[in-house]
Amino acid sequence: MPKAVRYDEFGGIDVLRVDEVERPVPGDGQVLVRVKAAGINPSEAVIRTGALADLFPSTFPSGQGSDLAGVIEEARRGGRRFLARRRGDRIQPEAGLPGRAGPGRGR
């Protein structure tokens, strides 16, 4: 089962936990990535403290770890963004800001 780093309130690293989450289903033009390595970048750490809540509001549970590298497990056609991507391709995507999309990130 996939795992995600999440938090339910603003704070330091002590609010982080690792949860098992449902396997996401990619939509048209999206890919599903098996993450091999992930990290919390400094911007995410500041957002997690709540210091930028006016600029980057969070919904809880929210998640961390948008810096990642992995392998495409499933690719859905329909969008221009990932047409050249295939199952088995290694990628290092820019996943976006916490609280925007993906497992472990608020919807």
Side-chain angles (χ1 to χ4, degrees):
M1 188 163 231
K3 296 184 185 331
V5 176
R6 290 181 164 175
Y7 60 101
D8 288 318
E9 61 185 305
F10 292 121
I13 60 171
D14 56 312
V15 300
L16 296 175
R17 67 180 192 282
V18 177
D19 288 342
E20 288 189 346
V21 295
E22 293 291 320
R23 181 181 186 270
V25 176
D28 290 340
Q30 296 182 330
V31 297
L32 178 65
V33 177
R34 178 177 294 278
V35 176
K36 299 292 187 171
I40 297 169
N41 69 47
S43 298
E44 288 178 300
V46 173
I47 290 169
R48 183 186 64 242
T49 68
L52 300 175
D54 290 339
L55 293 172
F56 300 104
S58 293
T59 55
F60 299 110
S62 196
Q64 302 248 276
S66 65
D67 289 346
L68 61 102
V71 177
I72 292 179
E73 226 176 62
E74 187 178 337
R76 297 282 308 267
R77 300 241 182 250
R80 296 181 340 186
R81 190 170 178 191
F82 295 111
L83 282 180
R85 300 291 186 189
R86 293 185 177 89
R87 190 172 196 274
D89 283 356
R90 293 182 290 181
I91 62 172
Q92 185 179 349
E94 180 182 314
L97 294 171
R100 299 297 167 103
R105 299 180 204 349
R107 299 210 186 263

